[in-house]
Amino acid sequence: MENPTIFKAYRGSFLDFVADPFFVPELDSIRYIPDGLLIVENGKIKEFGSYEHLQPEYPDLEFITYSNKLIVPGFVDLHVHYPQTEMIASDSNQLLDWLDKYTFLTESKFKNLDYSKQIAEFFIDELLKNGTTTAVVLAAVFRESVEAFFEAANQRNLRMIAGKVMMDRHAPEYLLDTAQSSYEDSQKLIEKWHHKNRLLYAVTPRFAITSTPEQLHLAGKLLQEYPDVYLHTHLSENLNEIKFVAELFPDSLDYLQVYEQFGLVGNQSIFAHGIHLSDSEFQRLSETQAAIAFCPTSNLFLGSGLFKLHQAKSKEYPISVALATDVGGGTSFSLLQTASEAYKVTHLQGQNLSGLQALFLATLGGAKALKLDDKIGNFDICKEADFVVLNPQATPLLTLRTQGKIPAQTREEIADLIFALIILGDDRAVAATYILGEQAYIRNA
Ligand code: GUN
Ligand code: FE
């Protein structure tokens, strides 16, 4: 028997991107419909346009109306550690000390399946509460931690990418796998979860320091055997890290070459941070169409440095960049707050990042970095209906700042509204989150 067709429809002000605002005039990159209608059929977008034009075609349609709100595509978090949820905001020196002092011990708890399930649920609740509908997630080294995460994400029909951390050296014994066991565990997880409903797998060596050449070689082998899985790791985040990598891999000319040597750099590769990349590394990332996860709250919190967003978005060697929280190195699950810090990071370098550019990096930019822009990222017909209802009057201060501008009448007004939402907004500005057209989170008034 065929499943019955389920229709859902939503009326409100919609904003999404149809082009990259770093490369076209930004007001031309958006699609803003002050009074729009979104019709969802079995979780996918069937129709999208102005209410005035579409409604007559569906005279009997029932719809939910969001007044004085702004509906945008679900946010994408391009790099986040779910086992680090409980250690967010832990004070320490920079990256390597922070890993030693808190991270490894915390991640050791994720050998336990029940504990992993509990935190996976908490983590997903937190994502949805912040409007994040897709994330690229590191689990821990233990297979159980990945099982728990995928199980929880699958139950909620989420489009998620995750993987088992591979690490076979330079970490406490209790957290190490071996090259062979990491290969076999990853293989089993890929077979079980990759393309199960909306889930996808990322081969996830933690970073060059914690993997032997043999393990990186086997990570490359996995990518060859399963050509459409992702590669997800850290790259060039911290100066002491880079120094140590150079000692461990003396034959590599730079950090990126370590990964290149093992066949880990391609158009499905996601590298977190990339703070201290050379011009040559930027160029090679551009040529291979790999993506960088820009994690401003983490980079500021851990004192890693300022990501050169404008070099990454150069016309000559453009790189696919999207925003990421990097919790627990990052300090917030909110992509709005993350965008706000991204703005400040560019300002410290004498550059500017507009509100619309930042919102692009949290939506269509994330979908493009994942090469999933045929499935998510905006309101194009046939895409999966994951979206967020933002409330520009979520707080008294936001109300004061945005009064009289909702719904925005012009593109300039919408750009200003988005900027204010990014700088002042957080989870309170997320009124509801929808997954495949179904309400997955609603904020209590
Ligand atoms: N590099 C290797 N592991 C980590 C981690 O857990 N967090 C961050 N921010 N960087 C890393
Ligand atoms: Fe990280």
Side-chain angles (χ1 to χ4, degrees):
M1 215 172 70
E2 280 191 24
N3 290 332
T5 306
I6 300 172
F7 280 100
K8 298 267 170 171
Y10 301 92
R11 180 181 181 181
S13 298
F14 290 84
L15 173 68
D16 69 349
F17 290 86
V18 291
D20 185 334
F22 288 89
F23 299 119
V24 303
E26 65 172 34
L27 296 183
D28 295 341
S29 72
I30 59 172
R31 173 164 53 183
Y32 175 55
I33 307 184
D35 183 11
L37 189 63
L38 181 80
I39 303 177
V40 181
E41 181 184 22
N42 292 332
K44 291 198 175 159
I45 295 168
K46 183 174 171 58
E47 295 268 20
F48 175 55
S50 80
Y51 177 80
E52 194 185 351
H53 283 118
L54 273 183
Q55 198 277 334
E57 291 178 37
Y58 298 87
D60 301 326
L61 187 74
E62 287 180 26
F63 49 82
I64 290 171
T65 302
Y66 279 109
S67 306
N68 300 324
K69 303 285 188 296
L70 184 65
I71 304 176
V72 300
F75 298 142
V76 177
D77 184 341
L78 202 65
H79 173 83
V80 58
H81 302 250
Y82 103 80
Q84 295 178 14
T85 304
E86 67 200 72
M87 52 160 284
I88 191 170
S90 293
D91 175 26
S92 88
N93 293 325
Q94 294 193 347
L95 175 67
L96 299 180
D97 280 344
W98 175 84
L99 287 172
D100 282 340
K101 197 164 160 193
Y102 304 103
T103 315
F104 292 146
L105 206 57
T106 307
E107 291 191 9
S108 73
K109 296 184 186 178
F110 290 76
K111 194 178 174 61
N112 181 305
L113 183 64
D114 287 335
Y115 191 70
S116 298
K117 281 182 179 166
Q118 190 189 322
I119 300 296
E121 294 292 342
F122 184 98
F123 172 84
I124 289 173
D125 285 342
E126 205 61 32
L127 295 188
L128 294 174
K129 181 179 170 184
N130 282 282
T132 301
T133 53
T134 290
V136 187
V137 178
L138 295 96
V141 72
F142 311 107
R143 230 171 84 195
E144 294 81 354
S145 68
V146 191
E147 293 282 353
F149 177 75
F150 275 137
E151 198 80 62
N154 194 40
Q155 266 171 19
R156 304 208 211 184
N157 292 321
L158 299 173
R159 171 126 343 252
M160 287 283 162
I161 295 121
K164 180 201 114 67
V165 165
M166 304 166 79
M167 48 195 299
D168 65 347
R169 65 168 167 177
H170 298 305
E173 192 67 34
Y174 57 78
L175 214 55
L176 295 182
D177 53 17
T178 67
Q180 189 59 27
S181 76
S182 71
Y183 170 79
E184 288 169 11
D185 281 352
S186 301
Q187 204 168 35
K188 286 182 193 132
L189 289 163
I190 293 168
E191 297 280 350
K192 180 166 175 188
W193 293 106
H194 188 53
H195 288 300
K196 186 175 173 94
N197 298 318
R198 304 178 77 201
L199 305 174
L200 296 164
Y201 195 84
V203 171
T204 311
R206 182 172 210 119
F207 63 160
I209 289 177
T210 47
S211 285
T212 57
E214 191 189 356
Q215 185 167 59
L216 294 176
H217 168 73
L218 288 176
K221 188 158 179 252
L222 287 167
L223 297 185
Q224 282 187 344
E225 289 168 348
Y226 302 95
D228 72 335
V229 298
Y230 292 93
L231 181 284
H232 180 204
T233 190
H234 297 89
L235 170 68
S236 204
E237 175 179 4
N238 169 285
L239 292 173
N240 287 331
E241 169 207 11
I242 295 165
K243 219 164 102 188
F244 196 8
V245 171
E247 286 167 24
L248 292 170
F249 296 92
D251 297 335
S252 294
L253 291 177
D254 54 33
Y255 198 153
L256 185 63
Q257 203 179 73
V258 175
Y259 295 141
E260 285 169 338
Q261 257 173 42
F262 296 102
L264 302 181
V265 185
N267 69 358
Q268 296 245 111
S269 302
I270 297 149
F271 296 105
H273 308 296
I275 303 286
H276 305 284
L277 296 173
S278 65
D279 292 351
S280 160
E281 288 171 301
F282 266 113
Q283 189 174 328
R284 279 139 58 207
L285 287 169
S286 172
E287 283 161 2
T288 48
Q289 295 174 39
I292 296 182
F294 175 19
C295 313
T297 74
S298 168
N299 299 156
L300 295 170
F301 181 72
L302 291 173
S304 304
L306 305 176
F307 177 62
K308 297 175 205 140
L309 178 65
H310 285 76
Q311 183 168 0
K313 297 297 284 185
S314 76
K315 283 210 172 67
E316 213 184 353
Y317 295 112
I319 297 172
S320 201
V321 177
L323 285 177
T325 65
D326 193 29
V327 165
T331 53
S332 169
F333 276 100
S334 168
L335 263 309
L336 295 173
Q337 288 205 330
T338 304
S340 173
E341 298 308 289
Y343 172 80
K344 295 166 196 168
V345 164
T346 59
H347 256 200
L348 281 168
Q349 300 173 87
Q351 304 284 350
N352 193 40
L353 174 70
S354 73
L356 290 177
Q357 287 172 330
L359 184 66
F360 171 83
L361 293 180
T363 56
L364 186 60
K368 281 182 180 292
L370 289 166
K371 318 300 185 277
L372 284 178
D373 49 319
D374 58 334
K375 295 193 167 62
I376 56 171
N378 66 12
F379 297 120
D380 281 353
I381 288 175
C382 291
K383 286 200 187 180
E384 299 164 356
D386 292 350
F387 56 87
V388 190
V389 183
L390 296 175
N391 180 7
Q393 294 163 319
T395 67
L397 186 58
L398 265 169
T399 306
L400 182 71
R401 171 65 174 80
T402 64
Q403 62 192 338
K405 295 180 183 168
I406 309 159
Q409 297 304 323
T410 63
R411 285 167 183 247
E412 286 77 9
E413 268 179 23
I414 196 73
D416 179 59
L417 189 66
I418 288 298
F419 188 76
L421 263 169
I422 282 171
I423 302 299
L424 300 174
D426 51 32
D427 59 298
R428 292 170 297 176
V430 174
T433 303
Y434 283 80
I435 298 295
L436 294 178
E438 304 275 352
Q439 190 180 90
Y441 165 78
I442 182 148
R443 186 174 169 81
N444 295 322

